[in-house]
Amino acid sequence: MSPLTGYLLLSAFLFSIGLAGALTRRNAILVLIGIELMLNAANLNFIAFWRYGPHPEALTGVMFAIFSIGVAAAEAAVGLSIILAVYRHSRTTDLDKLNSMKG
Amino acid sequence: MPEIIDQIFVVIKHWFMGYVPGGIQPLASAVLSVVPVMIVFPVLFAITTVLERKGLGRMQNRYGPNRAGWFGILQPMADGVKSLTKEDIVPRTADQLVHFLAPVMLVIASFLVYAVLPIGRNMVIANLNAGVLFFFAIGSMVELSVFMAGWSSHSKYSLLGAMRAIAQMISYEMPLVLASVVVIMAAGSLSTVTIVNMQAGYTWIWPHWYVFTPWGFTGFVIFMIAATAESNRCPFDMPEGESEIIAGYYIEYSGFKFALFFLGEYLGMFATSAMAITLFLGGWAAPFSFLTWIPSYVWFFAKLLAIIFAFIWVRGTLPRLRMDQLMNFAWKFMLPLSLINIVGAGIWHFMPAGFGRWGVVSLLVALSCVLLSRGLRRNKWFHVRTYRFAT
Amino acid sequence: MVVLVQYVHLYLPPLHGWNRFKMIISFLLLASLTIIGTAAAMSLKNLVHCVLALTLGLVGLAGLYLQLGAQFVGFTQILVYVGAVAILAAFAIMMTRSADPTLSNATATFRTSGAVVAVVVFAVLAWAIYYGTAHQPIFTAQPEGSVGQVGLALMHHFVLPLEVIGLLLTAALIGAGILAMDEHRGNQ
């Protein structure tokens, strides 16, 4: 049971927690938070492999994690503003009620 | 002899560490570094409260508090006793756990940022490789605690005050960080110790502080304005304006938690001032080369007191900015100016030393300042988008 | 085998005794903080509590990054996620009035199948990780991910992704602003 296995198992656990949240919660904002959590779990994976893998001086893992954080922030911003626009139109964020494409 | 007085605290610490057993030496070293900071800055907070009230009083042509002791010097003791013995009222519908944790998180974040500030030569708690980034990262946790305070109080005024405060703090965080990027570019490192060491030289008697360059001066002004807004000080204290929204996001707090909010806010102000001193004003370096015999920590605290005095002075002088004026100022003036400042610093780096680069960069910064302020005057509204829905 | 021989000189002796114990303890503490925070974030009823628990979990993750030696990523994680994304989510919860206690359930209609899917995904991933890394060599030399090197790499090898992410963030800023802008403002 090397340290790498520990970090990867933790990352898989966080990913499945985020997946469970994204699949089972009713509010749209919590689904978005679940997606953010999945992205974070993947980041942990990258950093763990950067630390314990060959060629750490190429900084690939760190770079990927930085860009992933940037992209995740952009996606959270756009996603939350879409949720706001949908709320303004249909007065609800309940995903079970948002099941028709008619305006 | 001046060197020993300069390094007296480091010498005392090393002497003490000699008596500590080897196993707990890292822990003892950390505790010995942290405890003086945790004692000195709250004492400075207490002194600042009485200085501020007397200073404001004198500016407004009245005495400040002068009953609590000789010239009111024991007023912080009286305030401390009052806030400790007042009843701690928590609204019944408030969220108990979040209501309790909000001031705690604010004070923790405010204390944590002192770890990277160099108070004297060789006197920094943690010489982090990414010190400035650590400072801004922990400083951004303050906004979350403001939100927690405002939301958990379950009151319209506190929520409104919290929203305004967070909007203001987020808007001014960008010019704050961008103004420090200039210094990072010039020093080549994110470590605060390296930045101060780069400013500790002298040409004849003039110091190498970054504030004496055109981009550094602009950066300093932007940083101080953004720091005033980040600490919710006048003229940016719309979120806590006493005549409008009573106390903003900490209306429902009483007693010790209120005092903790005050402590957190003032500590944040000191920390941002100390960061401005580190980045722009040369940290612990003396202003002239013939004054280096005065110890480094004395210079640091002298500069800190000068900046605190400037904060109090501005508070007593300027009226409060309205919310939309404040936001316009941040997004339409400060942010473009700080970006142009970065361009100016880049030009400075690549031009040869002499009057050429002074002229070019000063002209660039001054011209953009004038043009941006002209653009701020005209209120332009966006055109209205209209939708036609199918229903 | 040739690859391993090349990197033997980077392989410093593993941590022994007290140091290894400290590393394991700090990993367990940070991991449990993260797991508690994220599990609470996905299962609490009150949405604002969910966001605050998520913040706790992300701070735990930042601590894990710092333990792995990636200083820049750790502090950037706090700056971006705790300082911006959590506040954004909190504002969205405020503005969509989701903070009031809801009359309906907290979970959607397909909750059992969702939970089963998540458990199956975790089982598959855990099996793959355990049997994939059990016999692989790991390189325990502490790499030097200093900020200067990150900056140099951003300007040399990764300058194209840097410019593209600048464009992406600008587009996201403008897009989010336009999407969330109140279109009735001009009618006054």
Side-chain angles (χ1 to χ4, degrees):
Chain A
M1 183 75 168
S2 58
L4 180 63
T5 314
Y7 281 105
L8 292 182
L9 278 175
L10 176 66
S11 152
F13 194 60
L14 287 177
F15 184 84
S16 53
I17 289 178
L19 185 65
L23 287 176
T24 58
R25 290 306 293 250
R26 198 179 270 254
N27 199 329
I29 298 175
L30 277 175
V31 171
L32 214 78
I33 288 178
I35 296 176
E36 289 296 315
L37 211 48
M38 289 196 265
L39 277 166
N40 269 302
N43 275 349
L44 182 62
N45 222 339
F46 273 114
I47 302 285
F49 270 116
W50 169 73
R51 166 72 173 86
Y52 289 113
H55 288 298
E57 68 274 359
L59 287 178
T60 319
V62 172
M63 285 295 140
F64 215 109
I66 292 174
F67 287 121
S68 164
I69 289 177
V71 168
E75 171 233 340
V78 174
L80 285 167
S81 58
I82 289 178
I83 292 177
L84 269 177
V86 165
Y87 176 79
R88 251 190 226 127
H89 180 63
S90 50
R91 292 282 146 211
T92 181
T93 51
D94 190 344
L95 282 176
D96 283 343
K97 297 202 173 69
L98 292 171
N99 56 1
S100 80
M101 298 279 273
K102 189 171 160 63
Chain B
M1 189 57 187
E3 292 84 20
I4 297 187
I5 299 181
D6 191 29
Q7 299 288 292
I8 188 76
F9 294 107
V10 181
V11 166
I12 290 177
K13 180 182 165 185
H14 280 294
W15 170 81
F16 202 76
M17 291 295 290
Y19 289 103
V20 169
I24 61 168
Q25 269 208 351
L27 184 65
S29 165
V31 167
L32 275 178
S33 303
V34 164
V35 166
V37 166
M38 288 189 71
I39 293 177
V40 163
F41 281 97
V43 166
L44 190 63
F45 157 70
I47 296 176
T48 306
T49 49
V50 71
L51 272 181
E52 172 165 9
R53 290 169 71 176
K54 290 202 74 73
L56 279 177
R58 287 290 173 172
M59 283 183 219
Q60 292 163 359
N61 205 12
R62 57 178 172 92
Y63 295 121
N66 57 357
R67 302 253 175 196
W70 186 50
F71 285 123
I73 205 101
L74 290 180
Q75 183 69 30
M77 306 269 165
D79 279 337
V81 170
K82 174 199 79 169
S83 68
L84 279 173
T85 55
K86 258 195 181 175
E87 179 190 356
D88 190 21
I89 303 174
V90 177
R92 193 167 44 91
T93 48
D95 200 340
Q96 304 289 329
L97 182 64
V98 179
H99 192 85
F100 176 76
L101 282 179
V104 170
M105 189 165 149
L106 179 69
V107 170
I108 287 178
S110 300
F111 265 119
L112 207 53
V113 294
Y114 285 99
V116 290
L117 297 172
I119 299 177
R121 195 173 278 124
N122 301 335
M123 287 198 251
V124 64
I125 297 178
N127 186 5
L128 290 179
N129 206 1
V132 178
L133 188 61
F134 172 80
F135 182 86
F136 290 123
I138 304 293
S140 71
M141 283 171 66
V142 173
E143 292 145 27
L144 199 65
S145 82
V146 166
F147 170 72
M148 283 164 70
W151 180 80
S152 68
S153 303
H154 214 269
S155 143
K156 283 195 183 61
Y157 281 126
S158 63
L159 194 61
L160 196 54
M163 292 295 152
R164 284 182 180 177
I166 296 174
Q168 174 183 316
M169 286 166 109
I170 289 186
S171 311
Y172 280 94
E173 199 175 327
M174 294 254 292
L176 192 77
V177 175
L178 287 174
S180 64
V181 163
V182 211
V183 171
I184 296 169
M185 266 170 53
S189 161
L190 277 176
S191 159
T192 47
V193 174
T194 311
I195 292 175
V196 171
N197 284 337
M198 296 278 287
Q199 297 181 68
Y202 298 94
T203 41
W204 300 307
I205 57 168
W206 304 109
H208 283 168
W209 298 355
Y210 290 134
V211 75
F212 293 130
T213 58
W215 48 268
F217 184 70
T218 316
F220 178 62
V221 168
I222 293 175
F223 196 95
M224 287 324 297
I225 296 176
T228 321
E230 283 281 313
S231 325
N232 291 339
R233 296 274 302 179
C234 215
F236 297 103
D237 64 348
M238 175 61 84
E240 61 171 49
E242 275 157 29
S243 47
E244 270 137 349
I245 202 169
I246 310 168
Y249 53 90
Y250 42 81
I251 295 177
E252 304 289 345
Y253 284 90
S254 59
F256 192 54
K257 293 185 195 152
F258 188 72
L260 275 182
F261 268 112
F262 250 62
L263 178 71
E265 179 182 317
Y266 273 68
L267 281 180
M269 186 176 92
F270 295 159
T272 341
S273 317
M275 183 48 93
I277 294 173
T278 306
L279 291 173
F280 296 101
L281 289 176
W284 40 255
F288 298 110
S289 59
F290 49 84
L291 287 175
T292 46
W293 52 271
I294 299 179
S296 50
Y297 44 88
V298 169
W299 280 120
F300 181 85
F301 280 106
K303 292 175 199 175
L304 190 60
L305 283 172
I307 292 189
I308 291 172
F309 175 65
F311 270 127
I312 296 173
W313 194 2
V314 163
R315 181 176 178 176
T317 315
L318 293 177
R320 188 175 292 147
L321 280 180
R322 218 172 50 220
M323 198 66 197
D324 60 327
Q325 288 173 337
L326 201 146
M327 302 290 272
N328 275 340
F329 186 59
W331 291 103
K332 295 184 188 168
F333 183 83
M334 300 267 285
L335 186 61
L337 186 63
S338 53
L339 289 171
I340 293 175
N341 197 22
I342 295 179
V343 172
I347 294 176
W348 176 278
H349 181 74
F350 285 108
M351 282 182 73
F355 288 115
R357 62 180 185 176
W358 277 86
V360 167
V361 179
S362 311
L363 195 65
L364 176 70
V365 166
L367 203 65
S368 62
C369 200
V370 166
L371 288 176
L372 283 169
S373 56
R374 284 260 185 100
L376 204 58
R377 289 265 186 87
R378 292 173 293 165
N379 284 330
K380 289 206 313 189
W381 294 100
F382 291 110
H383 289 294
V384 161
R385 278 184 316 159
T386 53
Y387 286 121
R388 296 170 60 86
F389 289 110
T391 52
Chain C
M1 205 54 200
V2 175
V3 171
L4 288 179
V5 165
Q6 277 174 356
Y7 293 104
V8 150
H9 69 280
L10 285 178
Y11 179 78
L12 295 172
L15 308 166
H16 282 298
W18 180 238
N19 275 340
R20 186 177 162 88
F21 183 66
K22 278 195 296 192
M23 292 281 284
I24 292 179
I25 288 291
S26 65
F27 169 69
L28 285 175
L29 276 174
L30 286 168
S32 41
L33 180 72
T34 310
I35 290 178
I36 290 175
T38 51
M42 288 287 113
S43 52
L44 286 176
K45 254 187 169 318
N46 190 344
L47 287 196
V48 178
H49 287 172
C50 286
V51 168
L52 295 174
L54 176 76
T55 309
L56 189 68
L58 292 176
V59 166
L61 260 180
L64 281 169
Y65 292 155
L66 288 172
Q67 195 188 6
L68 282 168
Q71 284 185 17
F72 189 72
V73 182
F75 294 137
T76 308
Q77 160 106 355
I78 296 183
L79 185 65
V80 168
Y81 275 109
V82 176
V85 171
I87 303 268
L88 202 55
F91 262 79
I93 291 176
M94 287 293 120
M95 289 211 252
T96 57
R97 308 277 195 278
S98 316
D100 306 328
T102 51
L103 303 165
S104 55
N105 288 336
T107 50
T109 10
F110 293 106
R111 47 182 171 272
T112 37
S113 36
V116 163
V117 165
V119 167
V120 165
V121 163
F122 176 62
V124 168
L125 280 174
W127 176 84
I129 287 167
Y130 198 71
Y131 285 106
T133 62
H135 303 292
Q136 291 290 335
I138 62 166
F139 304 85
T140 50
Q142 177 70 38
E144 219 207 296
S146 71
V147 184
Q149 289 178 336
V150 169
L152 271 175
L154 272 174
M155 280 292 148
H156 284 145
H157 284 126
F158 296 94
V159 65
L160 184 61
L162 182 69
E163 304 297 331
V164 168
I165 205 170
L167 280 174
L168 174 79
L169 286 171
T170 312
L173 179 71
I174 297 175
I178 290 182
L179 274 174
M181 196 158 70
D182 199 2
E183 61 226 26
H184 297 297
R185 188 159 52 110
N187 286 341
Q188 290 144 7

